[in-house]
């Protein structure tokens, strides 16, 4: 499953406010999405291209990590990575 297919379907997803993709090094990929509400996020996460990609990713990736929180702003990548690393007990 290509990233582009999931990215394309997310941009059409109901409730999507913002999406961004970042590559770090040659084997680390980050995806940031901001949703109108948790129900919209879960509806996208649990079906279609995203669900298929996550099932395939489990067989290919060394690690799959995620974090979510409610905010009144679109977070910067630095904030997202800081929260993710703190949640998984790593230093940046």
């Amino acid at each position: 499953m290509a990233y582009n297919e999931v990215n394309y379907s997310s941009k059409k997803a109901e409730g999507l406010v913002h999406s961004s993709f970042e590559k770090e090094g040659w084997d680390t990929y980050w995806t940031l999405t901001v949703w109108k509400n948790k129900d919209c996020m879960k509806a996208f996460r649990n079906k279609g291209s995203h669900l298929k990609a996550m099932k395939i990713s489990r067989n290919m990736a060394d690690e799959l990590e995620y974090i979510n929180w409610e905010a009144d702003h679109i977070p910067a990548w630095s904030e997202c990575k800081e929260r993710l690393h703190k949640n998984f007990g790593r230093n940046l």
Side-chain angles (χ1 to χ4, degrees):
M1 166 82 31
Y3 162 77
N4 289 337
E5 185 177 337
V6 175
N7 187 44
Y8 177 74
S9 64
S10 74
K11 292 194 181 294
K12 299 186 316 181
E14 182 179 341
L16 181 70
V17 175
H18 174 81
S19 68
S20 180
F21 176 76
E22 185 170 307
K23 185 175 186 283
E24 184 176 296
W26 65 276
D27 64 349
T28 301
Y29 300 89
W30 303 92
T31 304
L32 165 63
T33 55
V34 178
W35 298 89
K36 185 170 89 175
N37 58 49
K38 195 177 279 190
D39 290 336
C40 291
M41 183 269 300
K42 286 181 179 181
F44 176 75
R45 180 194 70 188
N46 295 338
K47 65 180 183 182
S49 297
H50 187 270
L51 180 60
K52 186 176 178 182
M54 290 300 95
K55 287 179 179 180
I56 292 169
S57 296
R58 289 185 187 119
N59 295 323
M60 295 172 28
D62 292 337
E63 300 177 82
L64 293 174
E65 301 171 340
Y66 69 92
I67 189 168
N68 61 64
W69 70 93
E70 294 186 19
D72 59 358
H73 65 285
I74 296 174
W77 273 107
S78 58
E79 178 184 0
C80 296
K81 289 179 184 180
E82 182 178 319
R83 285 176 178 258
L84 184 69
H85 288 312
K86 184 176 181 182
N87 187 64
F88 285 94
R90 292 188 305 267
N91 295 322
L92 284 174

